[in-house]
Amino acid sequence: IVELENVKKVYTLGKAEVHALRGVTFAIDKGDFASIVGPSGSGKSTILNLIGCIDQPTEGVVRIDGTITEGLKDKGLTTLRHETLGFIFQSFNLIPVLNVYENIEFPLLLGKNRPSKKEIKEWIEFLVEAVGLADHMHHKSNELSGGQRQRVAIARALATKPEIVLADEPTANLDSKTGQSIIELMKKMNAELNTTFIFSTHDRTIMEIADHVIQLLDGLVVEDSKTGAK
Amino acid sequence: IVELENVKKVYTLGKAEVHALRGVTFAIDKGDFASIVGPSGSGKSTILNLIGCIDQPTEGVVRIDGTITEGLKDKGLTTLRHETLGFIFQSFNLIPVLNVYENIEFPLLLGKNRPSKKEIKEWIEFLVEAVGLADHMHHKSNELSGGQRQRVAIARALATKPEIVLADEPTANLDSKTGQSIIELMKKMNAELNTTFIFSTHDRTIMEIADHVIQLLDGLVVEDSKTGAK
Ligand SMILES: Nc1ncnc2c1ncn2[C@@H]1O[C@H](COP(=O)(O)OP(=O)(O)OP(=O)(O)O)[C@@H](O)[C@H]1O
Ligand SMILES: Nc1ncnc2c1ncn2[C@@H]1O[C@H](COP(=O)(O)OP(=O)(O)OP(=O)(O)O)[C@@H](O)[C@H]1O
Ligand SMILES: [Mg+2]
Ligand SMILES: [Mg+2]
């Protein structure tokens, strides 16, 4: 469902160049619970940003559902982002003036074929409960703890039940018990809806539960192991 | 060196109240490598913000070096913050337009008794190397990965060689190898300079290496164990 072919990404900073990705090739199948692992600065977020159509590769091809992302105009990218992808950003990117409920509801208001108001409310309340924020539903995102904000970002990405969820370090600010319950929620969506998950993570629990692990070092794939475990 | 006596913190949100801390009492001795642990939302950052004089308790007393923080005027708080404390924020709080070197140098320019320009340069270059960012010294903080930004925030807090370092989830965005080298750097400062470290963390490595662990649950201390290990 996602293919990268010899993808390179170079950031130009003044006269210097940072080669974030030096030729990355891998394929993720629909329904994979995949994890990209590697040291800080190795290129994990850059890969997720390219798959998320937030950025374009300097060289190489990124395909989603067979469509090359580079050929898409703004309108095509926006449709892809709203209808196929869910993104949990490493720095959350919540809307500070909206409360927990409104932040999660936001992507649901953008879609074309919207569920009924009642269905939306029940689904959001389920998600808020599932990520442990029922007591904070009407609190603004800048009135929450770091891990509480992260969980709002997680619920928001799952709200549209996307085909592919890109999760950048989703448990970094969570204690192991809270993190475990979030991973179980994602595993459940993966099992019931065949949602594809692509993580960037240092969390051992996610690495162990993943059925596809891609090891990154200094902008290159050094290992790509797909296990039979599903 | 730090004492909390029956400290309470209530956030008022409209008509609702959030009791972040419900009566917290503990003491940290000079040179402790202390870790505050607990679930997301249990009050860890709130405690560090009170010790860091960024916020005041609703009730109860916070003492640093015997001085009650509530009695201090702005000037006294600023002096305490610049001369005694170093703070690594959960969301880093870097200055985006400054580069790595300038962010770390910033607190050194604020102090009264400044070391020589040459000493400052050597010390910052040592810290940049020690946190693994030598290749990025002149890159702006918004041109870095999440974990790289976190390491700039760490180096900045250590730059003034403060008596007390408050570290809020300092390894959340780091892979275990990079995290380990950061913890070793801090352990070295703790051993050589008798710097007191107070962590808020979910990182097992820090919890295991700490000689004083304070367990927090829903705004209350449920365990406070100081081991002989030094
Ligand atoms: N600015 C604020 N306004 C209102 N409530 C707040 C604010 N900051 C924190 N809180 C609430 O106070 C409680 C404690 O927050 P705190 O940030 O101290 O938790 P924490 O232990 O650091 O959590 P995490 O591990 O998720 O960072 C939480 O329930 C949170 O919702
Ligand atoms: N906006 C940018 N401008 C310039 N260089 C960048 C930018 N974003 C990232 N980089 C560089 O590209 C490289 C890869 O960054 P990336 O964010 O993908 O790493 P990462 O694996 O996600 O790291 P972390 O685990 O610390 O989040 C890093 O060396 C970083 O300095
Ligand atoms: Mg990253
Ligand atoms: Mg916190």
Side-chain angles (χ1 to χ4, degrees):
Chain A
I1 194 167
V2 172
E3 292 163 282
L4 269 71
E5 269 172 37
N6 199 24
V7 168
K8 293 182 185 170
K9 179 68 191 173
V10 180
Y11 293 106
T12 317
L13 301 178
K15 286 188 219 89
E17 279 187 344
V18 177
H19 290 257
L21 299 177
R22 298 167 189 274
V24 169
T25 298
F26 63 79
I28 308 263
D29 296 324
K30 189 163 174 55
D32 269 4
F33 206 77
S35 183
I36 303 174
V37 298
S40 169
S42 56
K44 302 180 296 296
S45 294
T46 301
I47 287 180
L48 291 187
N49 291 344
L50 293 179
I51 298 171
C53 299
I54 286 172
D55 205 354
Q56 294 288 344
T58 309
E59 270 183 59
V61 177
V62 176
R63 267 195 206 84
I64 296 180
D65 262 346
T67 308
I68 294 180
T69 61
E70 194 132 28
L72 294 171
K73 292 274 163 298
D74 266 4
K75 197 162 170 309
L77 286 175
T78 312
T79 314
L80 196 65
R81 251 183 257 150
H82 287 158
E83 302 202 343
T84 308
L85 301 169
F87 208 133
I88 303 166
F89 297 97
Q90 190 165 1
S91 51
F92 320 153
N93 287 347
L94 297 179
I95 300 171
V97 292
L98 296 184
N99 68 28
V100 169
Y101 185 96
E102 293 161 342
N103 262 287
I104 297 168
E105 182 192 40
F106 191 79
L108 286 171
L109 303 178
L110 298 175
K112 268 185 229 97
N113 42 342
R114 248 181 263 172
S116 79
K117 221 142 172 63
K118 186 165 163 297
E119 281 168 337
I120 288 182
K121 189 164 176 295
E122 277 169 14
W123 172 233
I124 294 177
E125 285 175 355
F126 166 77
L127 281 175
V128 171
E129 184 71 46
V131 296
L133 290 178
D135 291 350
H136 297 272
M137 192 126 80
H138 303 294
H139 295 170
K140 290 197 176 46
S141 61
N142 59 2
E143 294 166 343
L144 298 174
S145 80
Q148 289 170 337
R149 285 200 299 275
Q150 182 149 46
R151 287 179 274 159
V152 176
I154 291 165
R156 178 181 64 178
L158 304 180
T160 55
K161 296 184 187 171
E163 261 188 271
I164 306 168
V165 173
L166 306 173
D168 201 343
E169 310 276 1
T171 57
N173 284 273
L174 302 178
D175 56 287
S176 51
K177 203 167 143 237
T178 308
Q180 214 104 33
S181 66
I182 296 287
I183 295 165
E184 268 157 40
L185 171 69
M186 292 179 175
K187 204 64 190 133
K188 205 169 150 228
M189 276 183 91
N190 173 258
E192 292 176 5
L193 304 176
N194 209 22
T195 310
T196 306
F197 280 85
I198 308 176
F199 294 89
S200 147
T201 187
H202 311 120
D203 185 329
R204 294 225 160 272
T205 314
I206 296 177
M207 286 154 74
E208 278 151 25
I209 209 173
D211 50 30
H212 185 177
V213 177
I214 296 164
Q215 291 242 353
L216 211 60
L217 194 62
D218 209 12
L220 283 170
V221 173
V222 290
E223 212 183 296
D224 181 354
S225 52
K226 186 127 188 235
T227 60
K230 204 54 193 101
Chain B
I1 195 166
V2 171
E3 292 162 283
L4 268 72
E5 270 170 38
N6 200 25
V7 168
K8 294 182 185 172
K9 179 69 190 173
V10 180
Y11 293 106
T12 318
L13 301 178
K15 287 189 215 90
E17 280 187 343
V18 177
H19 291 256
L21 298 177
R22 298 167 189 274
V24 169
T25 298
F26 63 78
I28 308 266
D29 296 325
K30 189 163 173 55
D32 268 4
F33 206 76
S35 182
I36 303 173
V37 297
S40 170
S42 55
K44 302 180 296 296
S45 294
T46 301
I47 287 179
L48 291 187
N49 291 345
L50 293 178
I51 298 172
C53 298
I54 286 172
D55 204 353
Q56 294 288 343
T58 310
E59 270 184 58
V61 178
V62 176
R63 267 195 205 85
I64 296 179
D65 261 346
T67 308
I68 294 180
T69 62
E70 194 132 28
L72 294 171
K73 292 274 164 302
D74 268 4
K75 198 161 168 310
L77 286 175
T78 312
T79 313
L80 196 66
R81 252 182 259 152
H82 287 156
E83 302 199 344
T84 307
L85 301 168
F87 207 133
I88 303 166
F89 296 97
Q90 190 165 2
S91 51
F92 319 153
N93 288 347
L94 297 179
I95 300 172
V97 291
L98 295 184
N99 67 29
V100 170
Y101 185 96
E102 293 161 342
N103 263 287
I104 298 169
E105 181 192 42
F106 191 79
L108 286 170
L109 304 178
L110 299 174
K112 269 186 227 94
N113 42 344
R114 250 181 263 171
S116 79
K117 233 168 161 44
K118 187 165 162 299
E119 281 168 335
I120 287 183
K121 190 167 177 297
E122 276 169 13
W123 172 232
I124 294 176
E125 285 176 357
F126 165 77
L127 281 175
V128 171
E129 184 71 45
V131 297
L133 290 178
D135 290 349
H136 297 272
M137 190 124 82
H138 302 293
H139 295 170
K140 291 197 174 44
S141 62
N142 59 2
E143 294 166 343
L144 298 173
S145 80
Q148 289 170 337
R149 285 200 300 274
Q150 183 149 46
R151 286 180 275 157
V152 176
I154 290 165
R156 178 180 65 177
L158 304 180
T160 55
K161 296 185 187 170
E163 259 189 271
I164 306 168
V165 173
L166 306 172
D168 201 343
E169 311 275 0
T171 57
N173 284 274
L174 302 177
D175 56 288
S176 50
K177 203 167 143 239
T178 308
Q180 215 102 35
S181 65
I182 294 287
I183 295 166
E184 268 157 37
L185 171 68
M186 293 179 174
K187 203 65 190 138
K188 205 168 150 230
M189 277 182 90
N190 173 258
E192 291 176 6
L193 304 176
N194 210 23
T195 310
T196 306
F197 281 85
I198 308 175
F199 294 90
S200 147
T201 186
H202 312 120
D203 184 329
R204 297 226 157 269
T205 313
I206 296 178
M207 287 154 75
E208 278 153 24
I209 208 173
D211 50 30
H212 185 178
V213 177
I214 297 163
Q215 290 241 353
L216 212 60
L217 195 61
D218 209 11
L220 283 170
V221 174
V222 290
E223 211 184 296
D224 181 355
S225 54
K226 186 129 185 231
T227 60
K230 201 62 188 95

